[in-house]
Amino acid sequence: MKTLCFYFSIIALSLLFAVEGVASKKTVDELRSGLSNVSAPSDSLRVLFDVYDAAPKEEKNTVGWEILKIAERTDAQDVLVEFIPQVTLLNMRSDETMRDLLVLAEKIDDADHRKGIKLFININRAVNEASFLPEGDRQRALLRYAKTNISKSGDIYENILNLGRVVIFIGQSSQSNMYLEYLSRLEKLVEQLPEDCYYMRNLLYTTAANTHTYNGNAEKALESDRKLIEVIKGLEEKYRKMGREYRDYSRYYYLSYRRMLRNYRGLSLDEVRELYSKCAMLADHDEEIHEDFYENGRPTIYRLMAEKEYGEVVPRIKAALPRVEDRNVRRDLLRMLVVSSDSVGDDDTLLEALKEYNKSLQETLDRRAEESYVELQMRYDVNNLKSENTRLEIEKKDTELAGGQKLISIILVAMLVLAVIIMLLYRSHFALRQKNRELKAENEGLHKHIGELLDDGLPQGTQDVRKKD
C-alpha cells in the first residue's frame, strides 16, 4: 500500500508560500502594467511582488522566475531567500528545475540561509523521488538513505537531510510507529535550526499535524498546528510591514483551524467555540472558505460533536459524507455518526452507519496490518544496517588500535635505538674528553721541560754578546 500523506502535507505547505490570488485578473493586469512606469530593478521587484501575490497559482511560476532573475542580477539577497523556496514548491515535479534552483541557492551569502534553502530543495527532491519510484527501487533507496543517516556528521543541515529522506521514504509505506519515531527525531533536529528558517519549520509542522491527526494523536496534532499558526502569523506580519497588501493567508489559517476542530477531543469547549468563530469570520471574507464552511460543513460538525448536540449533527454528517474523498476523514465522520445516531435513538441511521464504519475499520485494520509487515521488514533491514555499521566501526577501531599499537612499538624501538646511540655517543664523548685531558697534561709537561732547558731564553753557559761591554 502506498501512503501519500507526507506528499499531501508538502502540497498543503506549498499553499503557505504560493498564496492563491485574492485579486481579479483585471487587477493583476493593472498591477503588471505598472512595470512600464519604472526603470530601477528595485521598483520592478516591488511591482512584481504584488503581481505574484495577486496572481492565480498557474501564473505564479512565471512571475516567480522573473523575480528571481532580477534578484540574481542585482544580488538582492533577501529576495533570493524568500523566492527560491516558493519557486521550488511550484516546481516539485521537475527535478531538473530544482537542481537549477540549487545552483541559484549557492549565490546566497548567509551560510544558514544557504544551507537551509538547499536542505529545503533537497527534501522536496526526495519527496518527488519517493512518490514516483517503484516499490522495489523505493526500498533500496530507503536503505541507502538509512545507511547514510546512521553515520552522523557535524553539520545539522546534513543530518536533517539524511533523516528527512528516511522519514519521507518510510512515510510512503507506513504512517505508524516507526514513522512517528523518525518524525519525532526530525522535529527535535529542526527545532535547533535558526528561527528564520521558517520554510523548514512549516514543512515539519504541516507534516506532523497531518500525521498525528491521521493516527488519532490529538494532543500532538494540536501542538503542531499551534506552532504552524505562529509561523503563519509571523509571515503575515512580515509581509504586512513590507506593504504586500495582496499577500493573504486566510485560507491557510482556515485549514489549520479546521484540522484543530477535527481534533476537538483534545480541546476544551471554549477552545472549540473560539476556533469555530474564527472559521466563520474567515468564511465571510473568502469565497472558497465560504463554500467549504457552509456546504461541506465539517467545522460545524466538529463543533456540534464537541457540544454533544447529537440531534442536530446527524443530518449534517449524512449530508457531508458523499462529498468526502479522504478515507481517514470519512472514517472519522462515520464514527461520529455512529455515536450521534445511537445517542438520539436513530436505529436506521445507526445500522447503516455501523455497516459503513465496520467496513472502514476493516480496511484500516488491513492497511495497518500491511503497514506493520512492511515496517517490520524496514526495521529488520535498518537494524541490519546498524549492526553492519557497528561491526565496521568496531573493525575500524580495532584497526586504528592495532595501528596505534604498531606505531607505539615502532616508537619504542626507535627510542631504544636512540638511547643506544646516545649511550655510544656519550661513551665516545667521555673517551674524547679523557684523551683531551691526557694530551693537555702531556702538553704541559713538554712546556715545563722546554722551560727548564731554556730558562731565560739562553742556553746554559752562554751570554748575549749584544749585552757585552
Side-chain angles (χ1 to χ4, degrees):
M1 188 274 298
K2 185 176 180 180
T3 303
L4 292 175
C5 284
F6 192 95
Y7 180 75
F8 291 136
S9 297
I10 300 293
I11 296 300
L13 170 65
S14 72
L15 300 175
L16 294 176
F17 293 102
V19 183
E20 294 288 353
V22 296
S24 65
K25 186 178 187 304
K26 180 181 178 182
T27 304
V28 174
D29 292 340
E30 288 175 352
L31 288 169
R32 183 174 279 280
S33 67
L35 289 171
S36 61
N37 301 321
V38 298
S39 56
S42 57
D43 294 331
S44 297
L45 284 174
R46 279 194 290 271
V47 173
L48 287 172
F49 289 160
D50 285 339
V51 173
Y52 180 88
D53 293 341
K57 186 176 181 180
E58 60 270 15
E59 296 179 15
K60 287 185 181 294
N61 190 47
T62 301
V63 183
W65 277 109
E66 287 183 66
I67 291 171
L68 284 178
K69 286 176 182 176
I70 296 174
E72 180 184 11
R73 191 171 65 249
T74 60
D75 195 32
Q77 290 287 312
D78 55 335
V79 180
L80 291 174
V81 169
E82 177 187 350
F83 276 88
I84 291 178
Q86 295 188 39
V87 175
T88 297
L89 289 166
L90 293 169
N91 292 274
M92 278 189 59
R93 291 182 179 271
S94 173
D95 192 68
E96 182 180 356
T97 302
M98 286 193 279
R99 289 198 301 270
D100 292 339
L101 288 165
L102 277 173
V103 174
L104 185 57
E106 289 290 348
K107 297 181 181 296
I108 297 174
D109 295 334
D110 182 85
D112 284 323
H113 274 310
R114 182 174 63 254
K115 290 181 178 181
I117 289 174
K118 289 176 66 177
L119 166 64
F120 182 80
I121 296 170
N122 282 319
I123 285 289
N124 282 284
R125 291 181 69 198
V127 171
N128 191 39
E129 180 187 8
S131 300
F132 297 104
L133 276 179
E135 181 66 30
D137 293 340
R138 192 165 59 246
Q139 286 298 107
R140 284 189 287 273
L142 169 61
L143 293 178
R144 186 174 71 251
Y145 291 137
K147 187 174 183 179
T148 305
N149 180 59
I150 290 171
S151 302
K152 299 293 185 294
S153 73
D155 189 331
I156 187 171
Y157 296 93
E158 184 177 343
N159 290 335
I160 291 175
L161 175 59
N162 292 336
L163 180 56
R165 284 169 170 162
V166 174
V167 171
I168 291 166
F169 275 81
I170 291 176
Q172 289 293 315
S173 304
S174 170
Q175 296 279 311
S176 51
N177 293 336
M178 186 177 184
Y179 179 78
L180 292 174
E181 289 171 17
Y182 279 83
L183 184 62
S184 178
R185 292 187 210 171
L186 183 62
E187 184 174 0
K188 291 177 182 177
L189 281 179
V190 172
E191 292 287 357
Q192 297 175 35
L193 292 176
E195 197 66 34
D196 53 3
C197 281
Y198 58 85
Y199 32 83
M200 283 305 303
R201 295 180 189 278
N202 284 344
L203 173 62
L204 174 71
Y205 298 148
T206 305
T207 302
N210 283 330
T211 301
H212 290 305
T213 298
Y214 165 77
N215 282 284
N217 302 325
E219 293 296 333
K220 294 289 289 181
L222 290 167
E223 179 185 347
S224 298
D225 261 317
R226 289 187 179 107
K227 290 177 179 179
L228 179 58
I229 288 170
E230 288 303 311
V231 175
I232 297 173
K233 285 180 180 178
L235 290 172
E236 188 177 45
E237 181 64 23
K238 169 187 173 182
Y239 291 119
R240 185 185 295 117
K241 289 179 179 178
M242 293 171 64
R244 302 272 286 274
E245 59 180 296
Y246 295 97
R247 193 78 171 179
D248 182 53
Y249 285 95
S250 298
R251 182 184 175 190
Y252 315 113
Y253 278 120
Y254 178 75
L255 291 175
S256 283
Y257 294 153
R258 188 183 67 183
R259 186 165 48 232
M260 292 177 75
L261 284 171
R262 182 180 170 186
N263 291 288
Y264 64 87
R265 286 177 290 182
L267 297 168
S268 67
L269 192 54
D270 287 340
E271 288 173 322
V272 169
R273 288 170 176 163
E274 181 184 358
L275 288 168
Y276 181 80
S277 296
K278 290 179 178 179
C279 287
M281 286 188 288
L282 290 171
D284 290 340
H285 296 90
D286 186 284
E287 183 178 343
E288 186 179 358
I289 295 174
H290 186 278
E291 180 180 353
D292 182 85
F293 184 80
Y294 288 105
E295 293 190 20
N296 296 330
R298 282 164 53 193
T300 303
I301 291 171
Y302 300 143
R303 176 182 64 81
L304 291 173
M305 286 298 299
E307 293 174 338
K308 300 185 185 333
E309 296 289 344
Y310 298 128
E312 187 178 349
V313 80
V314 169
R316 291 181 179 273
I317 297 175
K318 292 169 73 173
L321 278 170
R323 299 190 184 98
V324 175
E325 296 181 0
D326 187 299
R327 62 190 176 194
N328 298 306
V329 174
R330 182 176 180 81
R331 186 192 64 223
D332 284 354
L333 290 177
L334 286 170
R335 176 187 58 78
M336 296 176 199
L337 186 57
V338 168
V339 172
S340 56
S341 60
D342 183 46
S343 298
V344 299
D346 186 346
D347 293 338
D348 291 338
T349 300
L350 175 61
L351 180 60
E352 189 64 28
L354 280 171
K355 289 180 181 178
E356 288 292 320
Y357 187 49
N358 285 339
K359 180 181 177 182
S360 177
L361 285 178
Q362 186 60 51
E363 290 174 353
T364 302
L365 288 173
D366 292 344
R367 193 165 62 248
R368 294 290 174 89
E370 185 178 346
E371 287 182 2
S372 297
Y373 174 78
V374 172
E375 181 179 310
L376 284 173
Q377 183 63 46
M378 287 189 294
R379 283 188 183 276
Y380 175 78
D381 291 338
V382 171
N383 286 335
N384 279 346
L385 284 175
K386 289 180 178 178
S387 299
E388 177 67 13
N389 188 70
T390 302
R391 184 184 66 79
L392 291 173
E393 287 290 334
I394 292 173
E395 288 182 359
K396 181 181 177 183
K397 289 180 180 178
D398 288 344
T399 302
E400 290 175 350
L401 183 60
Q405 290 175 339
K406 185 176 181 180
L407 180 62
I408 291 172
S409 299
I410 292 172
I411 292 172
L412 289 174
V413 170
M415 290 179 66
L416 179 61
V417 171
L418 182 62
V420 171
I421 293 172
I422 291 173
M423 291 176 64
L424 291 173
L425 289 173
Y426 181 77
R427 183 176 179 181
S428 298
H429 178 67
F430 180 80
L432 184 62
R433 289 184 63 185
Q434 181 67 27
K435 186 67 174 178
N436 187 52
R437 282 195 296 269
E438 291 174 356
L439 290 173
K440 185 178 180 181
E442 185 177 348
N443 185 52
E444 289 175 352
L446 288 172
H447 274 287
K448 184 177 180 182
H449 182 64
I450 291 171
E452 290 175 351
L453 288 174
L454 299 177
D455 190 18
D456 60 353
L458 297 174
Q460 193 173 10
T462 63
Q463 65 178 358
D464 187 350
V465 295
R466 290 172 298 175
K467 294 180 180 181
K468 185 177 179 181
D469 293 331

